[in-house]
């Protein structure tokens, strides 16, 4: 049982005890009151009865006294005379008349001094009777008492009725005892009177004398003249008292408890006892008490039932409270363990629930929230704490407090966290507010959005963002009626950087490039990386600038500045194509295409070039495109041919070898020179198969030649960078049966920016087989003589530019001289290319240039012609020295 139930039970018991006590006290009190009332009533009745009794006595006594006075007033000379005066018939009649008048008086008698009847109201003459033995006679004879005397009751000798005598002394003229005046009191008179009274009042009335002898009684039938057996000492004392008293004592008849009013008569020695039985006096009370007790018992029963019901209810309440507490505990534990912050505001606007997360998320003081504050108080606190950056935010918060529809919004707290607030109104006018920290989500969304629109490497806009921006800028240009330039940028020979230096270096180069673009262009225009090594810039021409060429050239210059990657110096180069809106295109896609065409053109023309789109470009572009298509199919259509340009020795004047040169027989355009399609083939990725086809064809052809002279094959940089080159070459040699020492591989210096490990190891591997390397177009590249030390070359080919200029230009001749001198120093063979005149040949020969190649000596020859050329060694066309022609040396160039 719970403490509350226990308390309730104790309270119930206390209440019951209190109730019993109160009822008991009330009952005792009403009992006392009933007894008191009975006493009072008994007293009142006793008084009335006593008065009435006294009246009866007094009336008799008055008659007695009157007769006495009359007798005494007759002054006779002698007592005898006096007596004689009394003993008369008239006197008897008077006595009788008086006796008849008083119902209580049975008879009046005059007794003389000797005790004889002098007169008697009943009879004339009076009977002979001596009463001198009677108590009243003796008393008055012996006592000179003017008072009254009451005899003890006796049965009347005449009629047998119980009688008591009232007596007074009659004095003689000289005061001597003359006789007695007697009044016989009929005691049945009193009994009858008492019967009258007692019948109505349910009383017991007893008239006794002072000695306690019964005179008359009703309803008891006590024998007169005797003291009742039950007369107690207390009663005796009460009888002796001069004034009335009330006592409770045993009844005279049966000893049952009674309320007894003892009322002595003042003038007569009798006492009226009026009693009611205590039980009778309490009958009303008892009934009332019984009813009260019944009501109390009923009330108590009701109370017990009520208490029982209350306790049961309490228990149920406690149980449901416990359940509630358990549920509430479960609920608050649950609320505290969910990731969202929850605040519930009840219909009275008070915060009924605020979980731990909400406290933490909103930085609310736990003390405040535990006090069940009003939402307004919390709001005021938040405003004071600077929670809301502006009035609008405050307004929004307030609106959400009183919204009648679900509201969801986000707000950023001063600490930077982003909260998603969901407000759901409740039917009672309250609201549940749910807080979710969406900072990470928003950040990652932001990050995803960023990644979706940016290139992770360079952090520039990606193609998606670029396309969107382009549309936007076009719309803006339309609105502002200004022009727009689109710059397409392509990194020259990026593939080479990637292949030769690894992707790390390639990436680093792209990053550096992006930096330089941004530095040059600024942050205003959109700069995007649209592909591997492709970039684009959207340049709104809404300022003073009218075209983008200046900027493009600045970019090219900026990019060309040397840069360092992994400790190595690089020199990057870019090509730029530009198209203008709306000049060159009416839509974004057209603009893109045209910028691309311009870029293509720039790339086609070389490196580091800027080209703006023009109308003719498109036609050229289309031609180029067709050429690409043609080139792709040329291989299968067997439109390629390898021709061989003989290389002659200036010493012997005989053929020392030949350079294999590729030819494309285009069905429409006829013979397309390699310069027009080698770059294209490189771009299209066709150069490798094509290159190896040339190699295999040339080796096979050379192996057929009747002289064991060398054959030189040009390698594209792509091939040289290939790790499989050495194996491929070896396989080709094996297949064709050409001895390795007869093969020379020509590479251009331009490709060898750095001592690339792949290139170097390939060269060493091939040289180990006996294959030779010659440096092609020597003199035209950037790096000069340093190459000759760094790479294992066997020969150099002096570019035709120098050869063609050397006769007329002293500087070209000087360069050729220097190159020849250096090659001698380095032990390299030298081939002079592009020898077109006898003068050139002569000059070279005079400077001990060993080998010559050029139209003056022989154009590139188809294979069949070359075979003939080898078969019939011809001296130089205008060779002045027949010796040379006569002694063909063993050449293995
Ligand atoms: P190259 O390696 O410098 O080849 C020599 C070029 O000079 C050839 O041009 C040849 O016809 C030309 N030539 C020869 N004698 C004279 C002369 O006296 N005067 C002038 N002006 N030119 C002369 P071609 O065949 O048009 O080849 C051009 C370039 O194409 C070659 O320059 C070479 O770099 C490349 N090439 C040719 N065939 C191949 C090949 O099979 N593979 C590779 N990768 N490149 C090739
Ligand atoms: Ca060559
Ligand atoms: Ca060359």
């Amino acid at each position: 049982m719970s403490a509350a139930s226990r308390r309730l039970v104790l309270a119930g018991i206390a209440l019951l005890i209190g109730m019993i006590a109160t009822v008991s006290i009330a009952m005792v009190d009403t009992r006392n009151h009933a007894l008191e009332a009975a006493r009072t009533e008994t007293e009142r009745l006793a008084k009335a009865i006593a008065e009435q009794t006294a009246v009866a006595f007094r009336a008799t006594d008055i008659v007695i006294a009157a007769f006495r006075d009359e007798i005494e007033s007759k002054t006779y000379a002698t007592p005898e005379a006096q007596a004689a005066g009394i003993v008369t018939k008239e006197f008897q009649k008077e006595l009788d008349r008086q006796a008849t008048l008083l119902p209580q008086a049975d008879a009046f008698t005059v007794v003389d001094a000797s005790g004889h009847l002098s007169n008697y109201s009943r009879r004339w003459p009076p009977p002979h009777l001596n009463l001198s033995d009677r108590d009243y006679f003796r008393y008055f004879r012996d006592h000179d008492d003017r008072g009254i005397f009451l005899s003890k009751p006796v049965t009347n000798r005449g009629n047998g009725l119980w009688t008591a005598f009232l007596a007074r002394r009659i004095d003689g003229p000289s005061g001597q005892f003359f006789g007695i005046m007697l009044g016989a009191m009929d005691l049945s008179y009193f009994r009858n009177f008492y019967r009258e009274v007692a019948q109505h009042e349910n009383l017991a009335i007893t008239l006794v004398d002072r000695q306690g002898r019964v005179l008359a009684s009703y309803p008891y039938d006590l024998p007169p003249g005797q003291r009742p057996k039950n007369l107690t000492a207390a009663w005796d004392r009460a009888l002796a008292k001069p004034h009335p008293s009330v006592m409770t004592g045993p009844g005279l008849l049966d000893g049952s408890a009674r309320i007894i009013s003892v009322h002595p008569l003042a003038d007569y020695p009798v006492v009226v006892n009026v009693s009611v039985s205590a039980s009778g006096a309490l009958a009303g009370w008892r009934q009332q008490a019984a009813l009260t007790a019944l009501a109390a018992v009923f009330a108590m029963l009701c109370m017990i039932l009520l208490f029982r019901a209350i306790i049961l209810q309490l228990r149920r309440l406690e149980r449901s409270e416990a359940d509630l507490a358990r549920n509430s505990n479960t609920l608050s534990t649950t609320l505290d363990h969910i990731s969202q912050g929850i605040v519930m505001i009840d219909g009275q606007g008070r915060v009924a629930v605020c979980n731990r997360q909400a406290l933490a998320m909103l930085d609310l003081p736990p003390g405040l929230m535990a006090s069940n504050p009003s939402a307004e108080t919390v709001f005021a606190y938040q405003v004071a704490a600077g929670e809301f950056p502006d009035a609008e935010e405050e307004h929004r918060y307030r609106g959400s407090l009183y919204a009648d529809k679900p509201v969801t919004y986000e707000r950023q707290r001063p600490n930077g966290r982003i909260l998603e607030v969901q407000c759901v109104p409740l039917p009672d006018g309250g609201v549940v507010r749910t807080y979710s920290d969406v900072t990470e989500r928003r950040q990652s969304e932001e990050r995803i959005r960023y990644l979706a629109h940016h290139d992770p490497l360079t952090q520039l806009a990606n193609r998606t963002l670029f396309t969107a921006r382009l549309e936007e800028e076009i719309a803006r240009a339309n609105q502002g009626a200004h022009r727009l330039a689109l710059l397409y940028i392509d990194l020259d020979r990026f593939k080479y950087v990637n292949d030769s230096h690894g992707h790390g270096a390639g990436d680093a180069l792209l990053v550096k490039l992006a930096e330089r673009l941004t530095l040059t262009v600024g942050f205003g225009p959109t700069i995007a990386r649209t592909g591997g090594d492709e970039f684009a810039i959207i340049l709104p021409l809404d300022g003073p600038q009218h075209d983008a060429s200046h900027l493009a050239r600045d970019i090219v210059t900026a990019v060309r500045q040397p840069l360092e990657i992994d400790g190595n110096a690089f020199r990057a180069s870019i090509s730029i194509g530009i198209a203008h809106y709306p000049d060159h295109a009416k839509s974004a896609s057209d603009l893109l295409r045209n910028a691309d065409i311009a870029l293509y053109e720039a790339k086609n023309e070389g490196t580091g070039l800027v080209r703006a789109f023009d109308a003719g470009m498109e036609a050229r572009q289309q031609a180029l495109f067709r050429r690409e298509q043609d080139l792709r199919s040329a291989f299968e259509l067997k439109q390629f041919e390898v021709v061989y340009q003989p290389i002659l020795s200036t010493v012997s004047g005989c053929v020392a070898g030949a350079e294999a040169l590729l030819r494309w027989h285009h069905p429409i355009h006829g013979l397309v020179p390699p310069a027009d399609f080698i770059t294209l083939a490189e771009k299209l990725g066709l150069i490798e198969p094509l290159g190896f086809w040339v190699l295999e064809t040339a080796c096979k052809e050379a192996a057929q030649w009747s002289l064991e002279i060398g054959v030189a094959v040009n390698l594209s940089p792509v091939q040289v960078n290939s790790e499989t080159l050495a194996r491929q070459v070896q396989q080709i040699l094996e297949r064709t049966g050409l001895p390795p020492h007869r093969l020379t591989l020509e590479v251009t210096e331009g490709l060898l920016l750095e001592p690339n490990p792949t290139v170097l190891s390939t060269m060493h591997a091939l040289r180990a087989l006996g294959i030779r390397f010659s440096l092609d177009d020597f003199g035209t590249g950037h790096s000069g003589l340093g190459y000759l030390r760094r790479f294992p070359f066997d020969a150099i080919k002096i570019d035709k530019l120098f050869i063609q200029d050397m006769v007329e230009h002293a500087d070209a001749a000087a360069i050729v001289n220097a190159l020849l001198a250096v090659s001698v120093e380095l032990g390299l063979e030298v081939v002079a290319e592009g020898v077109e005149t006898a003068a050139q040949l002569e000059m070279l020969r005079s400077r001990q240039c060993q080998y010559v190649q050029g139209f003056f000596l022989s154009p590139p020859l188809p294979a069949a012609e070359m075979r003939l050329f080898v078969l019939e060694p011809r001296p130089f066309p205008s060779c002045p020295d027949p010796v040379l022609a006569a002694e063909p040396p063993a050449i293995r160039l």
Side-chain angles (χ1 to χ4, degrees), residues 18-38:
M19 210 159 153
I20 292 169
T22 309
V23 169
S24 307
I25 288 168
M27 272 160 66
V28 167
D29 193 50
T30 49
R31 184 176 185 275
N32 289 344
H33 266 94
L35 288 175
E36 193 55 42

Side-chain angles (χ1 to χ4, degrees), residues 247 259 644:
M247 54 178 278
I259 295 161
Y644 303 88

Side-chain angles (χ1 to χ4, degrees), residues 496-750:
Y496 159 71
V497 178
N498 256 348
D499 290 348
S500 58
H501 297 277
H503 283 85
D507 285 354
L509 178 61
L510 290 172
V511 171
K512 285 267 162 58
L513 182 66
E515 281 171 8
R516 287 194 179 177
L517 287 178
T518 311
L519 267 176
T520 314
V521 177
F523 287 95
T526 299
I527 306 171
R529 182 179 172 209
T530 53
D533 61 343
E534 283 174 18
F535 296 83
I537 297 170
I538 306 167
L539 187 67
L541 299 173
D542 49 357
Q545 75 273 40
H546 291 291
D547 69 64
S549 306
H550 286 300
L551 179 73
R553 273 192 285 277
D554 288 349
I555 294 170
V556 169
T557 311
V559 170
R560 203 179 272 150
Q561 301 309 308
L563 46 83
E564 204 188 88
I565 290 166
D566 292 343
N568 298 317
F570 269 88
R571 206 182 271 273
S573 155
I574 53 168
S575 304
I576 301 181
I578 307 171
H580 286 95
Y581 178 91
D583 321 45
H584 300 140
K586 297 283 172 271
S587 69
S589 59
D590 283 358
L591 190 63
L592 283 166
R593 195 171 56 89
N594 293 345
D596 197 32
I597 288 171
L599 174 63
Y600 198 91
E601 180 108 350
K603 288 207 74 100
N604 241 21
E605 288 177 28
T607 58
L609 296 176
V610 175
R611 290 290 176 267
F613 179 79
D614 65 57
M617 236 177 222
E618 202 170 358
R620 288 199 294 280
Q621 195 70 52
Q622 274 166 6
L624 199 63
F625 181 69
R626 271 197 299 279
R627 170 151 302 178
E628 278 178 23
Q629 298 305 107
D630 293 346
L631 188 60
R632 283 183 198 281
S633 52
F635 202 73
E636 277 174 22
L637 296 171
K638 297 193 176 2
Q639 291 170 351
F640 292 113
E641 185 199 352
V642 180
V643 294
Y644 303 88
Q645 185 172 34
I647 298 167
L648 301 179
S649 164
T650 54
V651 179
S652 67
C654 290
V655 62
E659 179 179 3
L661 293 162
L662 186 58
R663 293 290 176 266
W664 179 17
H665 295 282
H666 194 276
I668 296 163
H669 303 296
L671 197 68
V672 183
D676 288 2
F677 70 90
I678 288 291
T679 320
L680 193 60
E682 278 176 351
K683 209 175 88 181
L684 298 178
L686 294 170
I687 195 67
E688 270 198 87
L690 195 55
F692 287 118
W693 178 79
V694 172
L695 188 64
E696 180 138 19
T697 309
C699 289
K700 207 155 117 192
E701 189 56 38
Q704 311 287 313
W705 291 340
S706 52
L707 283 179
E708 288 200 350
I709 54 171
V711 64
V713 179
N714 293 287
L715 285 187
S716 150
V718 179
Q719 286 177 283
V720 183
N721 272 302
S722 163
E723 281 172 359
T724 61
L725 179 70
R727 209 174 57 239
Q728 299 248 37
V729 171
Q730 201 177 355
Q731 284 170 357
I732 287 170
L733 289 176
E734 280 166 14
R735 277 203 295 275
T736 58
L738 185 75
H741 67 265
R742 286 180 59 194
L743 178 62
T744 299
L745 296 175
E746 291 191 8
V747 291
T748 51
E749 72 174 290

Side-chain angles (χ1 to χ4, degrees), residues 289-308:
L291 280 173
T292 308
L294 202 68
V297 166
F298 181 70
M300 281 190 287
L301 261 174
C302 287
M303 212 175 73
I304 288 168
L305 288 176
L306 189 71
F307 265 93
R308 192 169 166 270

